[in-house]
Amino acid sequence: MRKAFEFHGILLFNDSSGNLYSTDGTTGGTKIIETNFGYYNILAEYEGGLYYLKTTTEYGDELWVTNGKVGGSYMIRDFYRGKTSSNPSSMHLFQNEMLYLAGHPRY
């Protein structure tokens, strides 16, 4: 186990293979909720979700969110269709809104 943290009453942790797990502390309650997960890609918690950067061969680097449950992770938006990455970063909460930077391939 590389890193662990509490999120909505469950423990989330990742392994050296890039899997994100959730556990309630029991063997039966420990499940992989995300693959290709990099702990240091976590950007912020907002409105019950954990937002993070995920790299896929289909979409490149995009913003994803999880609720910490199996099947509860999804991409927020593919800003540039295809493999072009938006590289979301510098996420901040301002006046109850989530703001972040995203890149454009030409700039």
Side-chain angles (χ1 to χ4, degrees):
M1 180 167 61
R2 295 171 61 196
K3 295 284 183 175
F5 55 96
E6 189 271 332
F7 180 71
H8 296 294
I10 58 173
L11 183 70
L12 298 181
F13 65 94
N14 69 322
D15 63 16
S16 60
S17 298
N19 296 313
L20 178 66
Y21 295 82
S22 69
T23 186
D24 61 5
T26 66
T27 302
T30 302
K31 303 186 180 352
I32 295 175
I33 60 169
E34 183 65 272
T35 58
N36 297 325
F37 180 84
Y39 177 82
Y40 296 103
N41 293 338
I42 294 172
L43 299 176
E45 284 185 50
Y46 178 68
E47 292 189 344
L50 181 69
Y51 290 78
Y52 59 98
L53 172 72
K54 181 176 177 178
T55 304
T56 65
T57 55
E58 186 176 359
Y59 300 109
D61 299 341
E62 297 297 343
L63 184 63
W64 287 64
V65 64
T66 186
N67 62 8
K69 299 177 182 174
V70 175
S73 301
Y74 59 92
M75 184 174 59
I76 298 297
R77 182 174 173 197
D78 183 16
F79 288 96
Y80 304 104
R81 293 184 188 254
K83 298 178 183 180
T84 303
S85 300
S86 67
N87 295 309
S89 64
S90 301
M91 190 169 289
H92 299 280
L93 299 179
F94 178 72
Q95 295 182 353
N96 296 320
E97 295 291 330
M98 181 178 67
L99 306 174
Y100 61 95
L101 299 175
H104 189 282
R106 287 189 242 159
Y107 306 107

